[in-house]
Amino acid sequence: MTQTLNGRTAEYEVDPIFLQRWSPRAFTGEAMPHEDLLRLFEAAHWAPSAFNGQPWRFVYAHRDTPAWGVLFDLLIPYNQSWVKNASVLMFILSDRFRRVEGRDPAPVRSHAFDAGAAWAYLALEASRIGWAAHGMAGFDLARSYDALGVDADQHEVHAAIAVGRIADPEVLDEALRAREVPSGRNAIATFAFEGKLGG
C-alpha cells in the first residue's frame, strides 16, 4: 500500500514523520530558543549505540554569537551562501574509543555508524517540532579538527548541520531555488537484498 505526503510517495506505509522530514536550504534566520536546541540533543542521545557507548559529540553555535563565525568559516562557499540564514550551525563527530572506567580505551568500529543514528534522531525531532536540519559534507575537514578543538587520534569529524525554520525559497540565490523541494528516494529493491548483495 503506497502512501503520499509532502510530494513524496512511500512504497509501504510508514509514520508520516519520515515523509515530512527533508533538508531545506531556505531558512528564516530567526533565533532558535536554546530550549528547542536542547530538545534536539535530547532526541539524539536516545539513539542506539554499541555497548550503549553513545560516542556522538556535537559542537554548536547559535547565529550572531562569536562561535558562529568560527564554525561558519569552515563551510565551503556554496554552503555558506545559504547557511548564513540558519539559526544554529553544528558539527557532529564521534569518539573512536569505548571508554569504561577502570579499563584502557578500546577502539570501537561502529562509532561513525552510531553517530549517524544520533543525527537521524536529531533531524526527525527537528522536523517534529517545526524546525528543519540539513546535514552537509561540504566543509574543510582538515581545518575542522583545530577549529572545533578535536584531537583526530581520539575523535572523527563527520558532518556539519544547519538548523532553522523553513522560509520561502525566494530568500535563496536563483540557482538554489529549483532544488528547494523534498527529494524522492530510490526503490527498496535497489538497496535491500536477501542473502547477498545483488541477490
Side-chain angles (χ1 to χ4, degrees), residues 14-195:
V14 293
D15 191 287
I17 196 169
F18 294 105
L19 300 179
Q20 291 168 344
R21 189 224 62 83
W22 65 294
S23 300
R25 292 180 178 86
F27 291 125
T28 64
E30 67 188 80
M32 181 179 199
H34 194 64
E35 184 73 18
D36 282 2
L37 178 60
L38 293 178
R39 290 172 71 179
L40 304 193
F41 293 142
E42 178 69 32
H45 97 285
W46 289 105
S49 60
F51 303 106
N52 194 29
Q54 304 170 47
W56 46 80
R57 305 290 184 267
F58 295 90
V59 177
Y60 69 89
H62 288 273
R63 70 176 296 107
D64 299 326
T65 64
W68 172 273
V70 176
L71 275 57
F72 186 80
D73 186 55
L74 294 172
L75 303 178
I76 62 173
Y78 172 85
N79 285 333
Q80 287 181 341
S81 73
W82 59 270
V83 173
K84 65 185 179 186
N85 291 324
S87 304
V88 170
L89 177 59
M90 64 180 79
F91 283 77
I92 182 171
L93 46 141
S94 60
D95 192 335
R96 300 175 186 271
F97 296 89
R98 181 178 182 218
R99 302 178 193 276
V100 178
E101 191 172 341
R103 299 184 192 173
D104 291 335
V108 176
R109 184 169 52 86
S110 64
H111 65 91
F113 178 81
D114 296 342
W119 143 248
Y121 276 36
L122 182 147
L124 288 169
E125 178 65 7
S127 180
R128 192 187 73 81
I129 65 173
W131 296 87
H134 186 133
M136 300 161 274
F139 63 93
D140 190 327
L141 180 61
R143 284 199 304 117
S144 71
Y145 284 85
D146 283 341
L148 301 173
V150 176
D151 180 345
D153 291 331
Q154 302 295 317
H155 295 83
E156 182 176 351
V157 178
H158 300 294
I161 303 165
V163 180
R165 294 258 194 224
I166 299 176
D168 189 294
E170 290 300 313
V171 304
L172 296 171
D173 295 337
E174 187 174 351
L176 291 175
R177 289 178 202 154
R179 300 182 61 188
E180 197 63 2
V181 293
S183 57
R185 292 295 185 269
N186 295 333
I188 293 171
T190 66
F191 65 82
F193 307 97
E194 185 173 2

